Amino acid sequence: MSFQHGFPLSRRGFLAGACCAAGASILTPVSFAAMPGDNRFVTIILRGAMDGLDFVQPYGDPAYAALRPKLGLRPDTGLIDLDGFFGLNPAASALMPLWQAGELSFVHAVSTPYRDQRSHFDGQDMLETGGNGKGERTGWLNRTLAVIPRSNARKAIDINTSMELILSGPNEADSWSSQSNFALAEDEIAFLDRLYAGDPAFAKAMEEAKKTDISADSLYADGKRGAGIADMARLAGGMLREDYRIASFSINGWDTHVGQQGQFRKAVGDLSTAILTLKAALGEDAWKKTAVLAMTEFGRTARENGTNGTDHGTGGLAVLAGGAIPGGKVLGKWPGLSEDKLLDRRDLMPTGDVREVAAAMLYRQFGIEPDTLTAKVFPGLSFDTSSAYLRG
Amino acid sequence: MALPTPTLAAIRYGYGLRPGEEPPRDVEALLGQIEEGASGKPRFPREGIAGRLDTATRVVSLLAAEAKARRAGNPNEDVRKATQSEARRIYRQDAMARLAQAIHSPLGFYERLASFWVDHFSTSVMKSLPMRMIVPLYEAQAIRPNLGGSFTKLLSTAILHPAMLIYLDQDQSVGPDSVAARKNGRGLNENLGRELLELHTLGAGSGYTQEDVRASALILTGLSVDNRAMQVVYQPRFAEAGPVNLLGRIYRDDEGDGQDHVLMLEDLAANPKTAQHICGKLVRHFIADDAPEEMVAAMVAAWTKSRGDLTEVYRAMLAHPRAWSDPGRKIKQPFEFVVSGFRALDLPERNFGNLLRDMDDGDEDESPVQKAMDLTGMAAREDTKKKAGRANALTLGALQRMGQPIWQPPSPAGFADETSVWLTPSQLSERISWSRMVARIFGQKMEPSVFLQAALADAAHPETSRIIAQAPNKVHGITMVLASPEFNRR
């Protein structure tokens, strides 16, 4: 499995221009001596393929407004300017204090090596197995456990009712859930509506179920949407404050084919809640040692579609947060949105491998050697200490 | 849409498809299950029939002794509580075993018939504490071995079982002119007499009168339960003396041999109204709420010709063209839904043992994350019971929430069988919830399209296949397979 289109994977440059004008280090060089073995790493999988162009909008790109007449915003229509080129979706405004504190970064135009097939499930598996092909049944985070230099830093938890693929494998990891029944995300409800569209009796029951309180309780869990997300994040934070060093959980709701605006707002709200709750649960000291990587299986089409949504695409966005990252940057090599720059004239061209971002985090947080990372955790990945995601 | 026979046979006449299990090829394959099933040994009662009789009588004796001590002013709360919790534990194990039986048995049609007849001759564990142990025994002893033979035999084994006599208060009934009534003033209880006519044989609206109800109750007098042996006994002292007229036949005073109720059951079983009632009920259960009349007529004819041989009645049903057309008219009842869901998931049998163990271990606190929970202010006590709660939520609790707890029918009429009852907003949201829960726990690594094929084969609509293939994530894909109209209809 390799990247196509001639983009080398490592030694990636990143966006020139205003976003990087400060010229500050992207990620400070890892100091092993200073690493006390209690750094933390959290992965959040954004299930459904998050639209990175909506989250961090390239309003400075000349082609953007035409591609996104409805979804696209500008600073004068509510977009929160980040660096003069990119702006943050206002639904994520709660995260701005982190951005200002240098505890939040975004990596644009990244993806897994998954291409063209547009199967959601294969794409997800690729993200979780680390791109090892369809047959791989162990997750890269699980394989990581075996190569962390310090054995006392290996406890890992998956906040889920059962182990997700990313932490599945031969190495011991715990799995726990804050509640047995999470709420359905907006996109899941929309899919159920489609599922019942051909059966009037089911369609009617579903319509009424969404309206009635009792039914809504079981569809939305406790009637409090988002409560499950905060619980998960609080639990992860609590575990990491103890002797756990790695945690993983998922946030659903990103498959936005129809009526993206409202649905995206909810999903972004969930992610904001998760990150802020993690920070609160970790406490100041642990947060300082924590890196959070939120990533998604693939991006969405650059153009909005005919139903005020977007379809499955390729290049996406990763979110980095935590006191251990020198944030406040939009990273990545921006490919541009003019038609000839799009992949298949359709998708944001991936210019970076999201696995490299993950590898950089593992190197940073745990001092895992690049050779080990490319041999055991992400086979096939090019990664060394000259990675753009490590350069100062 | 006509489905090829094997898929429809598994979905309409069984508990659905299970990977690796050959669906029934034809009518003979379905009918062949009956003898095999009837001669088999169910997974409940857990100690077997003889063992359960021992356990039940022991528990009844303990409860009686405690009650006696209480009356004497020496109550022993501990004994009572321990006995209660033992009975509840036994019930839970049996209920889980019944679920496992339906899931793992390759004899789906036989299992469905067992559920049909247990419901037809409803008894409930909620009647009393000993009934927690007796109802499973009743299904194993009275219903399962007899559901393929003559209806007369099935009727008499069902009615003349301690579970039925206790459930419908026959053990309390005394003939008004009997020796016992003259002595202690107890009287007639018409409960079993009424349900026998209304539910078990002739059917409501078939023309019998209140006089017939009373006559039937009078004929049943004398029947009672010896609690210490957990056996039906005939007590001449309770029996009404003198002739009783039921539906034009005189049942003689039989204070000596107590055979009048046997004759009555034979007569009721042979009554043409009984054949009509039960054939209609079978068709409404298996085919559609508005039973096709010509199908019922064919079954009644088979009933008459074979003098109530139930296998011949089933054969007539399955031989009718309507048996294989127009699928999806019925909604699976909750038990069928849950069983067929687990079947499609193809869980190894040990998973059920694990679930049961989780339930029993519910009180233990050995959570590795307790400290973190406490630290973050989560409700610790609740979370320690999470696993037990989850095991229950997947199985017995799910059936409770969906309105069909095992061996707990709402009335002697059993559970509702109409489509409208099981296709409501709250029912649907419960099913979606359950689907989501099992998908999260067991389906994370399954490919939704593969699961769809395993669960529905060619019964899945192309549009459903398309939607499932596009699901936002695997768990939701699996959820949608289970929550789909095709999976919930049959």
Side-chain angles (χ1 to χ4, degrees), chain A residues 183 194 196 199 218 239 241, chain B residues 369 375 433 436 470 483 489:
Chain A
R194 278 179 66 196
Y196 297 141
D199 190 312
S218 47
M239 308 294 280
R241 206 151 82 168
Chain B
V369 295
L375 232 159
S433 269
R436 185 170 163 81
Q470 297 164 357
R489 292 182 179 277

Side-chain angles (χ1 to χ4, degrees), chain A residues 120-121 124-125 160-163 176-178 182-183 188 191 194 196 199 208 215 218 238-239 241-242, chain B residues 369 371 373 375-376 386 390 425-426 429 433 436 440 444-445 447 470 472-474 476 483 485 489:
Chain A
H120 228 126
F121 313 127
Q124 278 175 358
D125 285 359
N160 204 327
T161 42
S162 76
M163 195 66 78
W176 200 260
S177 69
S178 55
F182 297 98
E188 293 171 330
F191 263 90
R194 278 179 66 196
Y196 297 141
D199 190 312
E208 288 170 20
S215 299
S218 47
M239 308 294 280
R241 206 151 82 168
E242 291 289 301
Chain B
V369 295
K371 269 165 73 185
M373 296 281 207
L375 232 159
T376 54
K386 191 178 300 294
R390 188 181 88 175
S426 60
S429 60
S433 269
R436 185 170 163 81
R440 289 189 81 101
Q444 300 244 5
K445 293 173 184 76
E447 175 69 38
Q470 297 164 357
N473 54 65
K474 279 187 180 176
H476 195 58
R489 292 182 179 277

Side-chain angles (χ1 to χ4, degrees), chain B residues 108-159:
Chain B
F109 184 48
Y110 172 77
E111 290 295 324
R112 284 280 304 283
L113 286 170
S115 290
F116 174 86
W117 286 112
V118 162
D119 194 64
H120 180 80
F121 292 112
S122 271
T123 61
S124 172
V125 297
M126 300 311 283
K127 179 76 174 180
S128 65
L129 198 61
M131 284 287 272
R132 306 279 198 290
M133 292 168 294
I134 299 166
V135 173
L137 178 72
Y138 163 73
E139 176 170 342
Q141 228 179 353
I143 304 293
R144 286 182 168 257
N146 300 308
L147 60 78
S150 85
F151 179 73
T152 309
K153 175 85 184 296
L154 179 61
L155 176 69
S156 63
T157 53
I159 301 300

Side-chain angles (χ1 to χ4, degrees), chain B residues 334-346:
Chain B
F335 183 79
E336 294 175 66
F337 169 68
V338 166
V339 168
S340 58
F342 278 123
R343 281 175 61 79
L345 285 161
D346 196 23

Side-chain angles (χ1 to χ4, degrees), chain B residues 69-282:
Chain B
R70 175 184 304 275
R71 283 192 300 273
N74 300 312
N76 191 334
E77 236 3 59
D78 291 346
V79 168
R80 193 178 58 82
K81 281 191 175 150
T83 312
Q84 277 175 343
S85 96
E86 174 73 356
R88 275 196 295 268
R89 195 181 60 82
I90 289 171
Y91 161 71
R92 200 165 58 202
Q93 287 185 337
D94 279 349
M96 285 293 278
R98 185 174 204 282
L99 200 54
Q101 169 85 22
I103 292 165
H104 298 295
S105 169
L107 310 175
F109 184 48
Y110 172 77
E111 290 295 324
R112 284 280 304 283
L113 286 170
S115 290
F116 174 86
W117 286 112
V118 162
D119 194 64
H120 180 80
F121 292 112
S122 271
T123 61
S124 172
V125 297
M126 300 311 283
K127 179 76 174 180
S128 65
L129 198 61
M131 284 287 272
R132 306 279 198 290
M133 292 168 294
I134 299 166
V135 173
L137 178 72
Y138 163 73
E139 176 170 342
Q141 228 179 353
I143 304 293
R144 286 182 168 257
N146 300 308
L147 60 78
S150 85
F151 179 73
T152 309
K153 175 85 184 296
L154 179 61
L155 176 69
S156 63
T157 53
I159 301 300
L160 302 178
H161 191 277
M164 184 63 82
L165 300 195
I166 294 169
Y167 179 54
L168 294 179
D169 307 312
Q170 185 59 37
D171 57 341
Q172 310 293 315
S173 183
V174 167
D177 287 333
S178 67
V179 176
R182 286 192 294 270
K183 229 175 178 168
N184 62 20
R186 283 162 65 192
L188 190 67
N189 185 311
E190 293 180 357
N191 204 359
L192 180 59
R194 177 180 305 278
E195 306 304 13
L196 175 61
L197 302 186
E198 177 180 336
L199 300 175
H200 304 141
T201 59
L202 310 176
S206 60
Y208 63 86
T209 64
Q210 171 57 33
E211 281 310 301
D212 296 319
V213 169
R214 183 176 169 82
S216 165
L218 288 171
I219 293 166
L220 289 166
T221 54
L223 288 171
S224 190
V225 177
D226 174 358
N227 280 319
R228 300 299 176 102
M230 203 42 71
Q231 276 177 352
V232 171
V233 288
Y234 186 76
Q235 302 262 41
R237 296 184 317 114
F238 295 176
E240 179 74 354
V244 179
N245 182 337
L246 172 66
L247 300 165
R249 172 166 178 175
I250 307 294
Y251 295 85
R252 293 277 160 210
D253 169 21
D254 54 16
E255 217 163 320
D257 62 0
Q259 290 303 297
D260 55 346
H261 64 268
V262 175
L263 295 177
M264 172 178 69
L265 291 173
E266 284 170 2
D267 290 342
L268 289 172
N271 192 304
K273 285 170 180 161
T274 297
Q276 187 72 33
H277 174 210
I278 287 169
C279 293
K281 194 170 168 178
L282 277 164

